[in-house]
Amino acid sequence: MKLTKHLMIPLIATGIVLSLIFGVEYNCQGEEMFPEYYGSPFVFKQKSLGSSMEYFYSVSGLILNITIWSILITLINKLFLKLIKKTGENKTLKILYKGIVILLIGFAILNIVIDSAMTGSGFQKGLNYWYMDLDKEAKDWGMKCDGKWIMLKK
C-alpha cells in the first residue's frame, strides 16, 4: 500500500505541472519571433513556432518541477492525514480525502494523455531536450523576456 502511495504522489505532481494550474509564462519581445516558454516554477515547456498544438519539453525541467510539487503534495498529504487522525478518524473526512485523491489521479492521467498527444517530435536542442536555457536563448537572439504568473493555462 505504501509503494502505491509513493507512486501516486509523483503522478499527481506530474498532472499539476503539465496542467499549469500554477505556473509562469514567459513572453519575449524583440525583432525575432520567439516561442512562449512555461515553468512551474522551472522552465519545462516551449510552444512550437510551427504549430499552435505542439510543445517541446525539457527533461530536467520536468524532473525538477515534479520533485518540487511532490514535496508540496507530500506535506499537504501529511497535514490532511494528521487532521483526519485528530478528528478521531472522521468518516466524512476520510471519504473526502479518498475522493480528492481519486479526482487528482484522474486529472493527472488526463493531463499526461493530452500533453503526450501534443508533444513535438524529435530529441535535440530546440526540440525536446535535456534542458532549456531560456536566458541564453533570449540573449543569443537579442530578446527581452518577462515572466508572469498564470493559473489554469492549457
Side-chain angles (χ1 to χ4, degrees):
M1 183 68 168
K2 279 195 176 233
L3 179 61
T4 306
K5 180 175 81 171
H6 292 297
L7 293 175
M8 297 297 175
I9 289 175
L11 175 69
I12 292 169
T14 302
I16 289 172
V17 169
L18 293 177
S19 71
L20 286 169
I21 287 178
F22 307 104
V24 181
E25 179 180 58
Y26 295 94
N27 289 302
C28 302
Q29 275 74 42
E31 295 190 24
E32 301 291 330
M33 280 188 65
F34 210 68
E36 292 174 358
Y37 287 84
Y38 301 94
S40 182
F42 299 103
V43 173
F44 73 95
K45 184 175 177 178
Q46 167 191 329
K47 192 170 195 170
S48 170
L49 290 175
S51 170
S52 64
M53 297 290 288
E54 185 176 53
Y55 294 90
F56 298 111
Y57 294 87
S58 159
V59 175
S60 61
L62 275 170
I63 291 170
L64 285 170
N65 288 317
I66 291 168
T67 302
I68 297 248
W69 280 103
S70 291
I71 292 167
L72 287 171
I73 292 167
T74 300
L75 293 174
I76 292 167
N77 184 50
K78 286 184 187 281
L79 288 172
F80 208 95
L81 291 174
K82 276 186 181 181
L83 177 65
I84 290 173
K85 200 171 251 187
K86 262 189 176 177
T87 59
E89 303 288 324
N90 184 318
K91 193 170 186 163
T92 305
L93 274 179
K94 284 175 119 177
I95 292 170
L96 179 66
Y97 172 77
K98 287 180 183 181
I100 290 170
V101 169
I102 290 168
L103 283 173
L104 287 172
I105 291 168
F107 177 75
I109 291 169
L110 178 66
N111 276 291
I112 291 167
V113 168
I114 290 170
D115 275 36
S116 65
M118 294 170 55
T119 301
S121 60
F123 190 83
Q124 63 186 22
K125 280 191 175 194
L127 302 176
N128 298 300
Y129 199 56
W130 292 110
Y131 62 89
M132 290 178 180
D133 192 345
L134 173 58
D135 293 332
K136 182 184 178 312
E137 288 292 319
K139 184 180 175 190
D140 289 350
W141 289 94
M143 307 294 278
K144 181 173 177 357
C145 299
D146 294 315
K148 69 175 182 176
W149 288 99
I150 55 172
M151 288 182 69
L152 297 172
K153 173 89 178 199
K154 196 64 176 156

